[in-house]
Amino acid sequence: MKKVPSKILALLMAVSVFGCVSSKTGFTPGTYQGTAQGFHGDITMEVTVDSGRILSVQAVEHTESPGISDPAFERIPKAIVDGQTLAVDVVAGASFSSRGIIDAVTLALEKSGADITALQNKTASSKAVRRDSKTETADVIVIGAGGAGLAAAIAANQSGATVIVLEKMPRAGGNTIISGAAYNAVDPSRQIPLGIEDSVDLHFTQTYEGGDKVGDPALVRTMVENAYPALQWMESLGMEFTPTVFTVLGGLWPRAHKPVKPLGTGYIDTDLEYINSHSSQITLLLETEATELITKNGRVTGVKAKGLSTDYVFNANKAVVIATGGFGANIELRDRFNSMWPALTNIKTTNHPGATGDGLVMAEAVGANLVGMEYIQLLPMGDPDTGSLSGNIEQNVENRIFVNKSGNRFVDEGARRDVMTKGLFEQQDAFMWVILDRHSYPNPDVKNNFNETIAELIAQGRAYGANSLDDLARQIGVNAENLKAAVADFNRAVETGGPDRFGRTLFQDKIDTPPFYAGAREPTVHHTMGGIQINTRAQAIDKKGNVIPGLYAAGEVTGGIHGSNRLGGNALADIHVFGRIAGTNAAAEK
């Protein structure tokens, strides 16, 4: 949440009291506000005008993603003031935020009596930016600077290749940097001391069967066998994980590793440290959007791209790696391929705004086969206002329950993600409360998996706390007797070890120690399991089943690994295992 300092706001509001209409421009001098929809919620912009000019444009309040949306809030207001026009370009990778800013400014200017049509048609007074053309060459070109792309770039460089990484967003990180960051891997060094029995075969079985046996068994086997070696590889680069493991939502087993740094920042920081220290061999270009794969005699040989002021041709001596992520933020593509869920048009997403499926379009244009596109994963854990995973109060699967608006449990809270979400859709308003107690938050300053303390969440009205279940029920508006019965039912199952009447088998502590906490959640689009078909070498496959020479793919842009449902914690394993494989093999191309 960002706000204009109160003194400046008061001064600007005072200006608006003395406005008068200008016959020349139609402006009524003063200060006006407009609010429009951004990517994660409302954006409120403030505009100050005099009788002849737009004097200032600034953000009053918004909940857009920090870093991702920042360039839009910096550039668009400046472009509007500099050009005295609403005909300004959106910022690549932050198009939803950009349009929200422009729409909010438009609404504010309407209040001033401005001629909106003239402002929308007016050519900016500043000179148009002249576009340059440039050609660059490297051994490997990587499209996308999320977890998979950066892993591919590092692995390629470690294999002796020079690398150029293209990222359309203003920052690196993709979905990885805003993820819950759980990483599944069979890890005896952490699991055995906790009394956890696990095996690669069990991880394979749970992944393959958890995706309804739709995934390619060879790809699943490659992922589970290489998950721990890839984790060790990351640790060799400086990545740090906590010394324990846990069961992540929909992960089915306690094998999820938690980074020391919050969210996915540890992965991306580690990658960028390597890239920065090898800058003579790896070039990372932000705000550079790949638009087309270049082919010659059936082989992918490079990439065409657009920068802010430059049109590029990037030639690859060896190969191209596509790591552009999924299409969870592309409503049109979601609706086109969705066959599993009710209409997704009004369902928010956990994804960053750049997850729009660009790589799928480019790959299909050169003959790549797309598989499993109908398999779209929803989580029951979206913030009701933004769809993001932030604000989720759960710490692990074993110590919390879900209740609906009546205060009743309705599903096995340790089940697959699709099972839990389908159960949630059957509840009133597809809405639930996560209920837990002091076992998850021994003190108010304990943070959730998104670097937020429970005290902060309560202060923001995003969570509720009480010393009794009766008081908690009153605060969240559910039937107290139902809530107490739901907790008692769960506690009895903890004593017996289950399964309970929902079939739940994952338990640890009772919910019996105040303070008790509740957090609201709704369904949200989280992951797209479909994408480019690849083999175990991460080579892209065409519609006839043949390898496309010179083209590799890794991460959420690929399909065939997770089947119809992805286990929680498997995405981070997937992107690093196959990112590493793609980079290594791309560097070895002849």
Side-chain angles (χ1 to χ4, degrees):
M1 194 73 70
K2 300 183 180 180
K3 296 185 178 180
V4 172
S6 58
K7 291 183 178 179
I8 298 175
L9 181 58
L11 176 61
L12 294 177
M13 291 180 68
V15 173
S16 66
V17 176
F18 302 100
C20 63
V21 177
S22 164
S23 59
K24 181 179 178 181
T25 65
F27 288 160
T28 300
T31 298
Y32 305 89
Q33 290 187 2
T35 300
Q37 178 68 37
F39 186 75
H40 280 307
D42 286 343
I43 295 173
T44 298
M45 301 296 294
E46 188 168 78
V47 181
T48 300
V49 298
D50 66 12
S51 60
R53 289 183 60 81
I54 302 171
L55 299 178
S56 69
V57 176
Q58 54 190 331
V60 174
E61 192 170 350
H62 71 86
T63 55
E64 302 300 274
S65 301
I68 294 173
S69 65
D70 287 351
F73 283 97
E74 293 165 3
R75 294 178 193 167
I76 292 176
K78 184 177 187 301
I80 291 172
V81 174
D82 289 349
Q84 295 295 299
T85 179
L86 288 169
V88 296
D89 293 332
V90 300
V91 174
S95 57
F96 287 98
S97 298
S98 299
R99 293 190 185 101
I101 294 168
I102 295 168
D103 289 345
V105 172
T106 301
L107 292 172
L109 287 171
E110 283 181 350
K111 295 176 182 179
S112 77
D115 185 340
I116 298 300
T117 301
L119 287 170
Q120 289 173 334
N121 293 331
K122 180 180 178 183
T123 302
S125 59
S126 57
K127 293 182 180 179
V129 176
R130 184 177 65 86
R131 296 194 65 78
D132 296 323
S133 296
K134 193 172 184 180
T135 298
E136 296 190 6
T137 301
D139 294 330
V140 175
I141 309 298
V142 177
I143 310 174
L150 296 182
I154 293 170
N157 179 250
Q158 289 182 330
S159 297
T162 57
V163 184
I164 296 175
V165 185
L166 313 179
E167 173 55 54
K168 74 175 183 179
M169 300 295 286
R171 65 181 286 182
N175 275 338
T176 300
I177 201 168
I178 59 172
S179 70
Y183 183 108
N184 276 351
V186 177
D187 180 356
S189 67
R190 288 176 172 88
Q191 291 173 308
I192 290 176
L194 297 174
I196 299 168
E197 296 184 8
D198 199 5
S199 68
V200 170
D201 285 341
L202 178 60
H203 191 187
F204 171 86
T205 299
Q206 290 181 321
T207 298
Y208 185 53
E209 294 182 353
D212 296 317
K213 300 182 180 180
V214 175
D216 181 339
L219 296 179
V220 177
R221 178 63 66 178
T222 298
M223 184 188 74
V224 298
E225 287 183 349
N226 288 280
Y228 187 60
L231 184 145
Q232 292 178 305
W233 174 68
M234 285 186 284
E235 289 181 322
S236 74
L237 297 174
M239 178 68 185
E240 293 182 296
F241 294 91
T242 64
T244 188
V245 294
F246 68 104
T247 307
V248 68
L249 178 83
L252 306 184
W253 205 257
R255 62 171 70 94
H257 295 67
K258 182 176 182 178
V260 171
K261 289 187 175 181
L263 303 174
T265 57
Y267 298 106
I268 303 304
D269 287 351
T270 299
D271 293 338
L272 293 180
E273 285 178 12
Y274 179 95
I275 289 171
N276 290 335
S277 65
H278 294 76
S279 58
S280 63
Q281 300 157 334
I282 306 177
T283 300
L284 171 59
L285 297 176
L286 301 178
E287 296 183 288
T288 305
E289 182 176 7
T291 58
E292 182 182 346
L293 295 175
I294 302 169
T295 60
K296 184 177 182 180
N297 299 325
R299 181 182 186 85
V300 174
T301 59
V303 181
K304 292 182 180 180
K306 296 187 303 183
L308 292 177
S309 59
T310 305
D311 295 322
Y312 289 100
V313 170
F314 294 101
N315 293 316
N317 292 328
K318 295 180 177 293
V320 172
V321 178
I322 297 182
T324 52
F327 57 94
N330 188 321
I331 294 174
E332 180 184 349
L333 285 184
R334 283 168 17 188
D335 286 346
R336 183 191 309 173
F337 292 109
N338 172 42
S339 64
M340 298 178 61
W341 305 100
L344 299 177
T345 303
N346 296 320
I347 302 295
K348 300 179 180 68
T349 181
T350 63
N351 287 202
H352 79 110
T356 52
D358 308 357
L360 300 173
V361 176
M362 285 186 283
E364 193 173 32
V366 298
N369 191 37
L370 304 184
V371 296
M373 294 294 287
E374 69 272 31
Y375 301 129
I376 299 173
Q377 182 170 76
L378 271 65
L379 287 185
M381 284 296 186
D383 181 286
D385 293 326
T386 67
S388 74
L389 293 180
S390 66
N392 179 13
I393 66 173
E394 77 165 13
Q395 297 283 38
N396 56 30
V397 167
E398 288 83 355
N399 291 351
R400 88 294 188 255
I401 60 172
F402 304 155
V403 300
N404 58 23
K405 284 190 169 184
S406 297
N408 296 314
R409 288 178 66 202
F410 57 90
V411 74
D412 171 7
E413 299 93 345
R416 289 170 28 163
R417 291 176 165 185
D418 55 348
V419 171
M420 289 184 284
T421 307
K422 287 175 182 177
L424 180 55
F425 269 117
E426 295 172 357
Q427 308 310 304
Q428 180 184 349
D429 298 326
F431 180 96
M432 73 178 188
W433 295 98
V434 178
I435 307 294
L436 41 75
D437 70 353
R438 187 169 183 163
H439 287 102
S440 295
Y441 291 93
N443 66 71
D445 295 324
V446 172
K447 294 183 177 181
N448 64 5
N449 293 326
F450 298 89
N451 205 39
E452 303 158 317
T453 70
I454 192 66
E456 290 171 342
L457 293 176
I458 291 173
Q460 295 165 4
R462 301 170 69 195
Y464 298 85
N467 287 321
S468 70
L469 290 174
D470 284 294
D471 187 20
L472 188 66
R474 178 190 60 78
Q475 291 188 50
I476 65 176
V478 305
N479 182 285
E481 296 307 313
N482 288 348
L483 178 60
K484 289 188 289 186
V487 170
D489 180 51
F490 169 79
N491 289 343
R492 283 191 294 271
V494 175
E495 291 179 352
T496 64
D500 65 7
R501 62 193 178 94
F502 296 102
R504 175 169 172 163
T505 59
L506 293 172
F507 304 95
Q508 184 174 348
D509 298 311
K510 293 182 178 180
I511 300 175
D512 62 359
T513 307
F516 301 99
Y517 298 104
R521 297 281 101 177
E522 290 183 350
T524 184
V525 174
H526 184 57
H527 191 97
T528 50
M529 277 77 73
I532 302 167
Q533 183 180 6
I534 59 171
N535 60 19
T536 58
R537 290 176 51 80
Q539 292 171 298
I541 306 299
D542 69 15
K543 298 181 187 302
K544 295 181 180 180
N546 300 315
V547 167
I548 299 176
L551 185 62
Y552 293 78
E556 197 175 344
V557 75
T558 66
I561 298 172
H562 305 290
S564 62
N565 171 70
R566 179 178 64 79
L567 298 194
N570 272 2
L572 272 298
D574 167 16
I575 66 175
H576 286 95
V577 166
F578 284 99
R580 188 183 182 198
I581 290 172
T584 300
N585 290 328
E589 282 274 334
K590 300 297 184 180

